[in-house]
PDB file of all heavy atoms in Angstrom:
ATOM      1  N   LEU A1115      14.289  -4.110 -15.856  1.00 94.00           N
ATOM      2  CA  LEU A1115      13.599  -4.867 -14.808  1.00 94.00           C
ATOM      3  C   LEU A1115      12.280  -5.423 -15.339  1.00 94.00           C
ATOM      4  O   LEU A1115      11.629  -4.796 -16.188  1.00 94.00           O
ATOM      5  CB  LEU A1115      13.270  -3.951 -13.614  1.00 94.00           C
ATOM      6  CG  LEU A1115      14.440  -3.489 -12.758  1.00 94.00           C
ATOM      7  CD1 LEU A1115      13.959  -2.443 -11.752  1.00 94.00           C
ATOM      8  CD2 LEU A1115      15.096  -4.648 -12.025  1.00 94.00           C
ATOM      9  N   CYS A1116      11.901  -6.563 -14.802  1.00 95.00           N
ATOM     10  CA  CYS A1116      10.581  -7.120 -15.118  1.00 95.00           C
ATOM     11  C   CYS A1116       9.557  -6.390 -14.265  1.00 95.00           C
ATOM     12  O   CYS A1116       9.684  -6.338 -13.039  1.00 95.00           O
ATOM     13  CB  CYS A1116      10.576  -8.611 -14.788  1.00 95.00           C
ATOM     14  SG  CYS A1116       8.926  -9.311 -14.715  1.00 95.00           S
ATOM     15  N   THR A1117       8.562  -5.838 -14.907  1.00 93.00           N
ATOM     16  CA  THR A1117       7.550  -5.067 -14.165  1.00 93.00           C
ATOM     17  C   THR A1117       6.427  -5.966 -13.659  1.00 93.00           C
ATOM     18  O   THR A1117       5.458  -5.487 -13.111  1.00 93.00           O
ATOM     19  CB  THR A1117       6.948  -3.973 -15.055  1.00 93.00           C
ATOM     20  OG1 THR A1117       6.336  -4.611 -16.174  1.00 93.00           O
ATOM     21  CG2 THR A1117       7.998  -2.994 -15.538  1.00 93.00           C
ATOM     22  N   ARG A1118       6.559  -7.271 -13.894  1.00 91.00           N
ATOM     23  CA  ARG A1118       5.533  -8.237 -13.448  1.00 91.00           C
ATOM     24  C   ARG A1118       4.211  -8.027 -14.180  1.00 91.00           C
ATOM     25  O   ARG A1118       3.147  -8.181 -13.598  1.00 91.00           O
ATOM     26  CB  ARG A1118       5.294  -8.144 -11.941  1.00 91.00           C
ATOM     27  CG  ARG A1118       6.199  -8.907 -11.043  1.00 91.00           C
ATOM     28  CD  ARG A1118       7.663  -8.770 -11.222  1.00 91.00           C
ATOM     29  NE  ARG A1118       8.334  -7.638 -10.625  1.00 91.00           N
ATOM     30  CZ  ARG A1118       8.231  -7.223  -9.391  1.00 91.00           C
ATOM     31  NH1 ARG A1118       7.428  -7.809  -8.575  1.00 91.00           N
ATOM     32  NH2 ARG A1118       8.955  -6.234  -8.962  1.00 91.00           N
ATOM     33  N   CYS A1119       4.272  -7.684 -15.458  1.00 90.00           N
ATOM     34  CA  CYS A1119       3.014  -7.476 -16.194  1.00 90.00           C
ATOM     35  C   CYS A1119       2.274  -8.799 -16.370  1.00 90.00           C
ATOM     36  O   CYS A1119       1.079  -8.832 -16.601  1.00 90.00           O
ATOM     37  CB  CYS A1119       3.276  -6.827 -17.546  1.00 90.00           C
ATOM     38  SG  CYS A1119       3.915  -7.974 -18.785  1.00 90.00           S
ATOM     39  N   GLY A1120       2.990  -9.918 -16.281  1.00 90.00           N
ATOM     40  CA  GLY A1120       2.358 -11.236 -16.341  1.00 90.00           C
ATOM     41  C   GLY A1120       2.149 -11.767 -17.749  1.00 90.00           C
ATOM     42  O   GLY A1120       1.748 -12.924 -17.927  1.00 90.00           O
ATOM     43  N   TYR A1121       2.467 -10.955 -18.765  1.00 92.00           N
ATOM     44  CA  TYR A1121       2.200 -11.342 -20.158  1.00 92.00           C
ATOM     45  C   TYR A1121       2.873 -12.675 -20.515  1.00 92.00           C
ATOM     46  O   TYR A1121       2.289 -13.523 -21.179  1.00 92.00           O
ATOM     47  CB  TYR A1121       2.686 -10.219 -21.091  1.00 92.00           C
ATOM     48  CG  TYR A1121       2.610 -10.552 -22.556  1.00 92.00           C
ATOM     49  CD1 TYR A1121       1.413 -10.417 -23.263  1.00 92.00           C
ATOM     50  CD2 TYR A1121       3.742 -11.011 -23.246  1.00 92.00           C
ATOM     51  CE1 TYR A1121       1.342 -10.726 -24.612  1.00 92.00           C
ATOM     52  CE2 TYR A1121       3.682 -11.320 -24.592  1.00 92.00           C
ATOM     53  CZ  TYR A1121       2.477 -11.177 -25.269  1.00 92.00           C
ATOM     54  OH  TYR A1121       2.410 -11.491 -26.596  1.00 92.00           O
ATOM     55  N   CYS A1122       4.111 -12.857 -20.057  1.00 93.00           N
ATOM     56  CA  CYS A1122       4.866 -14.039 -20.497  1.00 93.00           C
ATOM     57  C   CYS A1122       4.597 -15.281 -19.636  1.00 93.00           C
ATOM     58  O   CYS A1122       5.107 -16.354 -19.953  1.00 93.00           O
ATOM     59  CB  CYS A1122       6.363 -13.727 -20.529  1.00 93.00           C
ATOM     60  SG  CYS A1122       7.007 -13.383 -18.896  1.00 93.00           S
ATOM     61  N   ASP A1123       3.832 -15.130 -18.584  1.00 92.00           N
ATOM     62  CA  ASP A1123       3.612 -16.282 -17.691  1.00 92.00           C
ATOM     63  C   ASP A1123       3.001 -17.472 -18.426  1.00 92.00           C
ATOM     64  O   ASP A1123       3.283 -18.624 -18.100  1.00 92.00           O
ATOM     65  CB  ASP A1123       2.703 -15.892 -16.511  1.00 92.00           C
ATOM     66  CG  ASP A1123       3.468 -15.146 -15.427  1.00 92.00           C
ATOM     67  OD1 ASP A1123       4.706 -15.190 -15.438  1.00 92.00           O
ATOM     68  OD2 ASP A1123       2.814 -14.504 -14.582  1.00 92.00           O
ATOM     69  N   VAL A1132       7.034 -17.018 -14.888  1.00 96.00           N
ATOM     70  CA  VAL A1132       8.176 -16.106 -15.055  1.00 96.00           C
ATOM     71  C   VAL A1132       8.076 -14.864 -14.157  1.00 96.00           C
ATOM     72  O   VAL A1132       9.019 -14.511 -13.437  1.00 96.00           O
ATOM     73  CB  VAL A1132       8.287 -15.678 -16.538  1.00 96.00           C
ATOM     74  CG1 VAL A1132       9.390 -14.654 -16.730  1.00 96.00           C
ATOM     75  CG2 VAL A1132       8.537 -16.904 -17.410  1.00 96.00           C
ATOM     76  N   SER A1133       6.922 -14.201 -14.186  1.00 95.00           N
ATOM     77  CA  SER A1133       6.831 -12.933 -13.452  1.00 95.00           C
ATOM     78  C   SER A1133       7.006 -13.158 -11.953  1.00 95.00           C
ATOM     79  O   SER A1133       7.553 -12.317 -11.248  1.00 95.00           O
ATOM     80  CB  SER A1133       5.498 -12.243 -13.730  1.00 95.00           C
ATOM     81  OG  SER A1133       4.424 -12.961 -13.162  1.00 95.00           O
ATOM     82  N   TRP A1134       6.552 -14.306 -11.445  1.00 95.00           N
ATOM     83  CA  TRP A1134       6.672 -14.572 -10.012  1.00 95.00           C
ATOM     84  C   TRP A1134       8.106 -14.919  -9.629  1.00 95.00           C
ATOM     85  O   TRP A1134       8.542 -14.653  -8.509  1.00 95.00           O
ATOM     86  CB  TRP A1134       5.703 -15.697  -9.606  1.00 95.00           C
ATOM     87  CG  TRP A1134       4.276 -15.273  -9.804  1.00 95.00           C
ATOM     88  CD1 TRP A1134       3.472 -15.574 -10.858  1.00 95.00           C
ATOM     89  CD2 TRP A1134       3.515 -14.414  -8.944  1.00 95.00           C
ATOM     90  NE1 TRP A1134       2.241 -14.970 -10.705  1.00 95.00           N
ATOM     91  CE2 TRP A1134       2.244 -14.260  -9.530  1.00 95.00           C
ATOM     92  CE3 TRP A1134       3.775 -13.772  -7.739  1.00 95.00           C
ATOM     93  CZ2 TRP A1134       1.241 -13.477  -8.960  1.00 95.00           C
ATOM     94  CZ3 TRP A1134       2.782 -13.005  -7.161  1.00 95.00           C
ATOM     95  CH2 TRP A1134       1.529 -12.855  -7.773  1.00 95.00           C
ATOM     96  N   PHE A1136      10.749 -13.553 -11.104  1.00 96.00           N
ATOM     97  CA  PHE A1136      11.399 -12.241 -11.021  1.00 96.00           C
ATOM     98  C   PHE A1136      11.015 -11.543  -9.720  1.00 96.00           C
ATOM     99  O   PHE A1136      11.848 -10.939  -9.046  1.00 96.00           O
ATOM    100  CB  PHE A1136      10.970 -11.356 -12.210  1.00 96.00           C
ATOM    101  CG  PHE A1136      11.738 -11.616 -13.471  1.00 96.00           C
ATOM    102  CD1 PHE A1136      11.089 -12.018 -14.634  1.00 96.00           C
ATOM    103  CD2 PHE A1136      13.112 -11.433 -13.520  1.00 96.00           C
ATOM    104  CE1 PHE A1136      11.795 -12.240 -15.813  1.00 96.00           C
ATOM    105  CE2 PHE A1136      13.834 -11.650 -14.703  1.00 96.00           C
ATOM    106  CZ  PHE A1136      13.162 -12.050 -15.851  1.00 96.00           C
ATOM    107  N   GLU A1177       8.415 -14.383 -24.484  1.00 95.00           N
ATOM    108  CA  GLU A1177       8.751 -13.083 -25.064  1.00 95.00           C
ATOM    109  C   GLU A1177       8.184 -11.990 -24.190  1.00 95.00           C
ATOM    110  O   GLU A1177       7.198 -12.203 -23.484  1.00 95.00           O
ATOM    111  CB  GLU A1177       8.232 -12.950 -26.495  1.00 95.00           C
ATOM    112  CG  GLU A1177       6.739 -13.107 -26.622  1.00 95.00           C
ATOM    113  CD  GLU A1177       6.301 -12.993 -28.072  1.00 95.00           C
ATOM    114  OE1 GLU A1177       6.604 -13.921 -28.848  1.00 95.00           O
ATOM    115  OE2 GLU A1177       5.664 -11.988 -28.386  1.00 95.00           O
ATOM    116  N   CYS A1178       8.863 -10.859 -24.251  1.00 96.00           N
ATOM    117  CA  CYS A1178       8.479  -9.749 -23.373  1.00 96.00           C
ATOM    118  C   CYS A1178       8.202  -8.518 -24.229  1.00 96.00           C
ATOM    119  O   CYS A1178       9.101  -8.034 -24.918  1.00 96.00           O
ATOM    120  CB  CYS A1178       9.619  -9.460 -22.410  1.00 96.00           C
ATOM    121  SG  CYS A1178       9.371  -7.958 -21.447  1.00 96.00           S
ATOM    122  N   PRO A1179       6.979  -8.003 -24.208  1.00 94.00           N
ATOM    123  CA  PRO A1179       6.671  -6.818 -25.021  1.00 94.00           C
ATOM    124  C   PRO A1179       7.516  -5.609 -24.626  1.00 94.00           C
ATOM    125  O   PRO A1179       7.733  -4.700 -25.432  1.00 94.00           O
ATOM    126  CB  PRO A1179       5.189  -6.549 -24.747  1.00 94.00           C
ATOM    127  CG  PRO A1179       4.698  -7.602 -23.829  1.00 94.00           C
ATOM    128  CD  PRO A1179       5.840  -8.476 -23.429  1.00 94.00           C
ATOM    129  N   ALA A1180       8.036  -5.619 -23.385  1.00 92.00           N
ATOM    130  CA  ALA A1180       8.854  -4.475 -22.953  1.00 92.00           C
ATOM    131  C   ALA A1180      10.302  -4.616 -23.411  1.00 92.00           C
ATOM    132  O   ALA A1180      11.133  -3.743 -23.164  1.00 92.00           O
ATOM    133  CB  ALA A1180       8.800  -4.363 -21.433  1.00 92.00           C
ATOM    134  N   GLY A1181      10.630  -5.732 -24.078  1.00 93.00           N
ATOM    135  CA  GLY A1181      11.965  -5.873 -24.656  1.00 93.00           C
ATOM    136  C   GLY A1181      12.972  -6.572 -23.766  1.00 93.00           C
ATOM    137  O   GLY A1181      14.160  -6.648 -24.094  1.00 93.00           O
ATOM    138  N   LEU A1182      12.535  -7.091 -22.629  1.00 94.00           N
ATOM    139  CA  LEU A1182      13.470  -7.804 -21.751  1.00 94.00           C
ATOM    140  C   LEU A1182      13.869  -9.123 -22.410  1.00 94.00           C
ATOM    141  O   LEU A1182      13.013  -9.834 -22.938  1.00 94.00           O
ATOM    142  CB  LEU A1182      12.759  -8.088 -20.422  1.00 94.00           C
ATOM    143  CG  LEU A1182      13.568  -8.012 -19.144  1.00 94.00           C
ATOM    144  CD1 LEU A1182      14.031  -6.580 -18.873  1.00 94.00           C
ATOM    145  CD2 LEU A1182      12.708  -8.490 -17.965  1.00 94.00           C
ATOM    146  N   VAL A1184      14.127 -12.398 -21.726  1.00 96.00           N
ATOM    147  CA  VAL A1184      13.642 -13.169 -20.576  1.00 96.00           C
ATOM    148  C   VAL A1184      14.610 -14.296 -20.224  1.00 96.00           C
ATOM    149  O   VAL A1184      14.946 -14.497 -19.053  1.00 96.00           O
ATOM    150  CB  VAL A1184      12.226 -13.729 -20.861  1.00 96.00           C
ATOM    151  CG1 VAL A1184      11.728 -14.540 -19.679  1.00 96.00           C
ATOM    152  CG2 VAL A1184      11.255 -12.602 -21.173  1.00 96.00           C
TER     153      VAL A1184
HETATM  154  S1  SF4 B1845       9.388 -10.472 -18.413  1.00 88.68           S
HETATM  155 FE1  SF4 B1845       8.347  -8.897 -19.579  1.00 88.68          FE
HETATM  156  S2  SF4 B1845       6.453  -9.880 -20.260  1.00 88.68           S
HETATM  157 FE2  SF4 B1845       7.272 -11.148 -18.630  1.00 88.68          FE
HETATM  158  S3  SF4 B1845       6.226 -10.424 -16.776  1.00 88.68           S
HETATM  159 FE3  SF4 B1845       8.168  -9.348 -16.948  1.00 88.68          FE
HETATM  160  S4  SF4 B1845       7.712  -7.422 -17.976  1.00 88.68           S
HETATM  161 FE4  SF4 B1845       5.988  -8.832 -18.344  1.00 88.68          FE
END
Side-chain angles (χ1 to χ4, degrees):
L1115 289 172
C1116 165
T1117 60
R1118 275 50 82 50
C1119 77
Y1121 174 82
C1122 65
D1123 281 344
V1132 176
S1133 69
W1134 296 99
F1136 278 121
E1177 59 181 70
C1178 171
L1182 216 66
V1184 179

